[in-house]
Amino acid sequence: MASTDQRPAPADRRWMRPRRFDRNLIVIGAGSAGLVSAYIAASAKAKVTLVEAHKMGGDCLNFGCVPSKALIKSASVAQQMRHADRYGVQSVEPRISFSAVMERIHKVIAEIEPHDSVERYTSLGVEVLQGYARFIDPWTVEIALNGGETLRLTSRAIIIATGAQPVVAPIPGMEEVGYLTSDTLWDRLRHRPEAPKRLVVLGGGPIGCELAQSFARLGSEVTQIEMAPRLMMREDEDASSLVEASLTADGVAVLTDHKAVACGVGADGKWIEIENAGQKRRISFDEIIAAVGRTPRLKGFGLEELGIEVDRTVQTNAYLQTLHPHILAAGDVAGPYQLTHVAGHQAWFAAINALFGDLRRFKVDYTVIPWATFTDPEVARVGLSETEAREKNIPYEVTRFGIDDLDRAIADGSARGFVKVLTVPGKDKILGATIVGAHAGDLLAEFVFAMKHKHGLGKILGTIHIYPTLAEANKMVAGQWRRNHINDFLLSLLERFQTWRRG
């Protein structure tokens, strides 16, 4: 994503700009970025059309955040039943109906679906068209409606919010074995009475780790294959090692530093060949999930014909404008983060700049971006990690508090993990925070707020936290920072003063 503050170059003069426009704004894509953009435009009384080719709610509702978290919850309940004796309750091996688990997931999607529905957005004043959109020129969009008709609309501004799709590694034989992705598995496995007996998960990032652990807890024999030397390479090693240990304890065979070189079908069924340190071996499986990442949807919209660069993302400036200032991009298609909450964050800037950019423009603010991986334990981070600080030669101090020493975590039987905060040397200014543990994604919010509003650890320390709660871990790490910065000379003076007071 480009970071220039300058306005994009003028649009190619070969197109004739309309004198009048059918719409103030057209939004292509009804995922998080598209929905928020359309909502803001309608709130500003703009005439806005939202075009979606597939399902309202986009990837997050239908294939990503919502179904995966529902799956994680069912898997967590099964695991709690297996280890109920830790709480003085008799353990039992759960009887899992995988089809019932999948039906619950689809019910969760259906329950949330009205929030993102055509009916809701129509009631808000948004015109919703279901079909495929393609640029004819910088101001004209042709929409091939799902009903068969074709419609052309002109608009003063257009936002591209077409999202992303799973990456499938170019491994020979992948098509032959019939791979699954995080998009397709929810329907393809929906009516299975049992989870796949032998499952291979390709990828050691957040999606791969969440799926590997969940399927293992639901009864699959899971092998997770990752080319990198460890899982979750975006996080510090201490965080990823805790996750790997947890996955291993749940029965996942984690194979890092392994490259998948081929797939196929033989007499004994499907197989994948992997390579490590020059040695190759084959693993048999029943299903394989490709979870090596996601790539923006860029093809088929006519962007190249407009001269808009589409390398790995749509190239934009700091205001989310493309080569044509009135065409903007938001969400996964714009980068640099593939996160639902960032897509919604970008959408505000894209919509405001699209509607009012001639009067005033706003740069997107990426200074405080949080994210979480919902494994058990969860991993949540905002700001710098230690790895990033070292790579960028940014001076820092580390303060750490072990959650194994937290009263509520001990009572809950979740006493594992840590809170780690990076600060400016000698100061309480927060550069970044990582939490590994139960409900880490929720606990991180306090650090996100503190960083956003430039509060230091001293403010967190001076805030009353309810006892006993997991949130006390945040205050504990702030207290640890304070203890690490006690002035020995002042302490000596204080001791002498108290001695004098005793007479």
Side-chain angles (χ1 to χ4, degrees), residues 465-477:
H465 291 63
I466 295 172
Y467 178 89
T469 61
L470 296 176
E472 280 193 298
N474 296 343
K475 184 168 184 171
M476 294 294 188
V477 78

Side-chain angles (χ1 to χ4, degrees), residues 79-249:
Q79 194 72 350
Q80 287 176 341
M81 293 173 67
R82 292 187 185 96
H83 299 288
D85 58 336
R86 297 174 181 174
Y87 303 92
V89 179
Q90 184 176 351
S91 297
V92 60
E93 184 61 33
R95 297 176 61 185
I96 299 168
S97 168
F98 188 72
S99 59
V101 170
M102 297 300 281
E103 281 307 308
R104 174 184 174 271
I105 290 170
H106 284 275
K107 286 179 182 177
V108 169
I109 294 171
E111 190 169 341
I112 296 174
E113 213 166 31
H115 302 168
D116 300 342
S117 65
V118 172
E119 292 76 16
R120 176 171 185 248
Y121 276 80
T122 300
S123 72
L124 293 171
V126 178
E127 178 189 41
V128 181
L129 299 178
Q130 296 189 286
Y132 290 83
R134 180 180 178 84
F135 284 93
I136 300 302
D137 62 44
W139 299 274
T140 307
V141 173
E142 183 176 87
I143 304 159
L145 298 171
N146 291 348
E149 303 91 348
T150 299
L151 176 67
R152 284 193 178 187
L153 295 174
T154 59
S155 182
R156 180 173 286 276
I158 301 166
I159 294 176
I160 306 162
T162 51
Q165 58 195 9
V167 172
V168 179
I171 301 169
M174 280 290 281
E175 296 291 340
E176 183 182 359
V177 298
Y179 63 86
L180 301 169
T181 70
S182 56
D183 280 12
T184 63
L185 71 88
W186 313 108
D187 284 330
R188 294 259 304 269
L189 300 182
R190 183 170 182 172
H191 301 295
R192 296 276 191 91
E194 296 180 347
K197 180 172 176 54
R198 300 169 301 173
L199 176 68
V200 167
V201 176
L202 287 178
I207 297 173
C209 288
E210 289 179 2
L211 291 176
Q213 185 175 49
S214 295
F215 275 93
R217 289 178 164 190
L218 291 172
S220 295
E221 298 172 11
V222 180
T223 301
Q224 187 176 12
I225 301 169
E226 169 56 49
M227 286 180 60
R230 59 183 177 85
L231 301 178
M232 298 177 63
M233 286 294 291
R234 291 179 65 186
E235 308 298 340
D236 284 333
E237 189 170 353
D238 53 1
S240 65
S241 65
L242 267 176
V243 172
E244 182 171 337
S246 181
L247 265 63
T248 301

